[in-house]
Amino acid sequence: MSANDSANVALNDAERGLAENVFPVSLPEPIPSAMTTRANSLADLKGGDKKPEFPDEKKSALPSLPTPPLAVTAPAPAPAPRKPRKKASRMVRFRLWYNTYRKFYTFVVTLNAVGLLLAALNIWKYPRRYTGAMVLGNLLMAILMRNELFGRFLYLIVNTLFAKWTPLWFRLGCTSVLQHLGGIHSGCATSGFAWLIFRVVLIFINHKNTHDAILITGVTTNLAVAVSIVSAFPWVRNTHHNVFERHHRFIGWLGLLSTWVFVILGDIYDTETQKWDLSGTHLISQQDFWFALGMTVFVILPWFTVREVKVDVEVPSPKVAVLRFERGMQQGLLGRISRSSIMEYHAFGIISEGTHAKYHYMICGVQGDFTRSLVDSPPKALWTRQLKFAGVSNTSTLYTRGIRVCTGTGLGAALSTCLQSPDWYLIWIGSDQEKTFGPTISGLIHRHMGPERLCLWDSKKRGGRPDVMKLVKDAYHSWKAEVVFITSNYQGNQEIMEGCKEAGIPAFGTLWDF
């Protein structure tokens, strides 16, 4: 995504119409619906009656029979005046703002700040002697919280041990903790940077007994870590994705290399004799060395799984590209894809019928340069990490029944849960869904989900957006659900989360601060 991409508050093209007039929910009468044209590129959309298909699609698990209409529609009611949404109370808005992410961040930073203060006052002696361990211990934990393998391990443990039988409050807590691990990541990164500054200050105070090389690498490491942290601010990450990647990743790697030099020089230099101790046994006996080694392993590990894989691209409309990859996936996973091996990776939800399936899919709505290129110039292959990371939907197995609410391309992160579990109800709100998203997505929905656990609202055909909270409340009570998962744009997510909080419905929404 380029620097001039739209911010999160904006709707992408596949979600247009969601902020139009509000109408009361009613049970519609079915009417015939036109089928969607399938295309392999945007140019094919101009080919009249041409209906190109995925390669070998007739031999795949996809049906050769015509796909049923995606949504049951009714004649659009007469426009009604839009009622202003009642603003949630300050307490509700504060509770949503001060979520588990910020609680984790506050706890970690406060704990480290107390330790830093005690060390600065020379009350706590340990961190003054082993400041490097305080620095690298925090940075190691920050890296660990963003590691795909470690994250998958945590989700596996929780989903295996605590599914369904534990009290609901405990399972909700597990989901909240797993979803907001980024708070620990950010808190430890900030704290590690603070300890690093403290370490360099101590070195400068005792600069007469310290080699100049240690001072230089200390300052270099500080600068690299500072740039990496600033580039990860939510506003930078979400609105200037390429800027974030170039600085957070590559400057971060430079910072890791500088940290190694800083640690090694600091460990092998004896400030009392002012001589270098080149003994290998002395180096590996230091805590700093093992923390730095752990950081390096967890940074490099995911990159060993990077592969260039074949992809088939379906372009049902100029607003959306549906990517098809080989092999099935478990539900609740997200994947990163790129046109190059190390640059511009973008994360999308994975749609799959299960681990036994032949294919899995990604829905990519046109929002920036990268996604637009998928529509204008469909690739034959893309780079991806074979090790996928888990999203909040992965904890759906903890609950006996749940509601999955999504708008537009948010279906990509939601659909797998409903395809693979009969205990989940899908509410999907979008604009011109069938034409925009195509017959492949339609086929997946109708092959696996009956009308008893499905609510598809086409805002274009129905003349506007529904009363979303009425849909959610009705489905929550009639389905006897335990939790609601939401994937929407910023505005939609905020409205639904506020409504659920006021109604006492446990809900988890999309995050933009990770």
Side-chain angles (χ1 to χ4, degrees):
M1 191 177 295
S2 63
N4 61 354
D5 288 334
S6 59
N8 293 313
V9 294
L11 307 177
N12 67 42
D13 289 340
E15 293 176 308
R16 297 295 179 189
L18 298 187
E20 299 169 2
N21 294 330
V22 177
F23 299 98
V25 178
S26 60
L27 295 176
E29 294 295 330
I31 63 171
S33 178
M35 296 304 299
T36 312
T37 300
R38 172 171 302 182
N40 288 325
S41 70
L42 184 58
D44 291 334
L45 294 174
K46 303 175 182 178
D49 296 330
K50 292 182 181 180
K51 295 185 179 181
E53 300 178 340
F54 278 138
D56 300 323
E57 185 169 14
K58 294 181 179 179
K59 299 178 183 179
S60 72
L62 297 177
S64 57
L65 296 175
T67 308
L70 182 60
V72 178
T73 59
R82 180 180 175 85
K83 297 179 180 179
R85 184 177 68 91
K86 183 181 178 182
K87 203 170 186 179
S89 67
R90 290 185 178 180
M91 179 55 67
V92 166
R93 283 180 282 145
F94 173 77
R95 290 173 64 190
L96 288 175
W97 178 83
Y98 196 62
N99 54 17
T100 305
Y101 182 105
R102 290 185 170 89
K103 291 175 183 176
F104 275 147
Y105 183 86
T106 302
F107 174 77
V108 171
V109 171
T110 301
L111 189 64
N112 277 276
V114 171
L116 192 58
L117 178 62
L118 294 176
L121 296 175
N122 206 20
I123 298 175
W124 189 19
K125 307 291 185 180
Y126 177 87
R128 293 184 72 91
R129 183 177 180 185
Y130 300 104
T131 316
M134 304 301 293
V135 174
L136 298 181
N138 273 285
L139 295 181
L140 172 60
M141 186 60 66
I143 291 171
L144 199 61
M145 291 300 105
R146 279 289 181 251
N147 180 265
E148 290 92 334
L149 185 60
F150 182 73
R152 290 285 296 275
F153 175 73
L154 291 181
Y155 274 86
L156 176 64
I157 293 297
V158 170
N159 290 335
T160 302
L161 297 182
F162 307 122
K164 298 180 175 64
W165 67 273
T166 52
L168 179 59
W169 63 266
F170 180 81
R171 286 175 280 147
L172 293 171
C174 289
T175 297
S176 184
V177 167
L178 291 173
Q179 185 188 26
H180 295 94
L181 288 175
I184 301 177
H185 166 80
S186 300
C188 287
T190 303
S191 301
F193 179 55
W195 281 108
L196 185 59
I197 294 175
F198 181 68
R199 166 75 166 161
V200 173
V201 169
L202 289 180
I203 293 174
F204 270 97
I205 291 174
N206 301 305
H207 68 278
K208 292 182 179 179
N209 300 322
T210 306
H211 198 280
D212 289 345
I214 300 177
L215 295 175
I216 294 171
T217 55
V219 172
T220 302
T221 304
N222 261 297
L223 291 174
V225 174
V227 171
S228 183
I229 290 175
V230 170
S231 67
F233 280 11
W235 179 81
V236 178
R237 178 168 187 157
N238 294 322
T239 60
H240 303 280
H241 185 85
N242 289 350
V243 173
F244 155 74
E245 277 211 342
R246 292 189 185 102
H247 292 79
H248 191 69
R249 177 176 301 159
F250 297 115
I251 301 298
W253 289 351
L254 175 63
L256 180 60
L257 178 62
S258 180
T259 299
W260 264 111
V261 177
F262 186 45
V263 165
I264 292 175
L265 293 180
D267 285 345
I268 66 176
Y269 187 76
D270 191 329
T271 55
E272 295 182 1
T273 63
Q274 296 189 14
K275 293 182 179 179
W276 300 100
D277 183 355
L278 302 179
S279 170
T281 56
H282 172 74
L283 179 62
I284 64 174
S285 66
Q286 304 301 310
Q287 300 175 74
D288 305 18
F289 173 83
W290 295 104
F291 281 134
L293 181 62
M295 289 168 56
T296 305
V297 169
F298 284 111
V299 166
I300 292 177
L301 189 61
W303 292 97
F304 279 110
T305 70
V306 170
R307 300 287 187 276
E308 187 176 24
V309 298
K310 176 186 175 184
V311 60
D312 295 314
V313 182
E314 176 188 2
V315 184
S317 72
K319 303 174 184 178
V320 169
V322 179
L323 312 184
R324 188 183 75 179
F325 302 87
E326 294 182 353
R327 79 187 176 105
M329 296 275 182
Q330 63 170 281
Q331 63 85 28
L333 299 182
L334 297 95
R336 294 184 174 96
I337 58 173
S338 174
R339 286 184 179 264
S340 68
S341 57
I342 63 172
M343 266 300 297
E344 200 174 355
Y345 276 87
H346 296 262
F348 297 94
I350 294 174
I351 299 174
S352 178
E353 297 162 285
T355 55
H356 62 280
K358 188 175 181 181
Y359 302 111
H360 67 273
Y361 306 84
M362 291 182 179
I363 298 177
C364 304
V366 173
Q367 288 181 285
D369 294 342
F370 176 77
T371 48
R372 185 171 300 280
S373 73
L374 297 176
V375 172
D376 294 340
S377 180
K380 299 294 183 183
L382 287 171
W383 290 87
T384 184
R385 296 184 187 181
Q386 298 290 73
L387 181 60
K388 311 303 180 185
F389 64 102
V392 65
S393 291
N394 199 250
T395 63
S396 63
T397 56
L398 293 176
Y399 305 98
T400 55
R401 284 195 163 196
I403 309 293
R404 202 61 176 86
V405 183
C406 56
T407 62
T409 54
L411 181 71
L415 186 53
S416 270
T417 298
C418 299
L419 293 181
Q420 297 184 30
S421 173
D423 300 321
W424 280 76
Y425 187 98
L426 175 66
I427 299 176
W428 182 29
I429 304 165
S431 177
D432 208 3
Q433 294 164 313
E434 185 180 341
K435 181 178 179 181
T436 301
F437 294 88
T440 297
I441 302 303
S442 172
L444 289 170
I445 292 175
H446 287 284
R447 283 202 305 275
H448 297 278
M449 302 181 65
E452 72 282 355
R453 62 185 189 98
L454 184 64
C455 175
L456 306 181
W457 185 281
D458 191 321
S459 59
K460 183 174 183 179
K461 293 180 180 179
R462 301 195 185 196
R465 185 184 183 186
D467 183 341
V468 182
M469 278 313 302
K470 177 170 175 54
L471 287 179
V472 172
K473 290 176 183 178
D474 289 348
Y476 178 78
H477 294 295
S478 63
W479 190 248
K480 296 181 173 58
E482 292 184 322
V483 68
V484 175
F485 287 166
I486 304 159
T487 306
S488 182
N489 56 69
Y490 185 86
Q491 178 184 344
N493 180 81
Q494 192 70 14
E495 290 181 8
I496 301 172
M497 285 294 293
E498 289 179 2
C500 287
K501 182 68 71 174
E502 288 186 320
I505 298 175
F508 297 92
T510 310
L511 293 182
W512 283 274
D513 50 2
F514 59 91

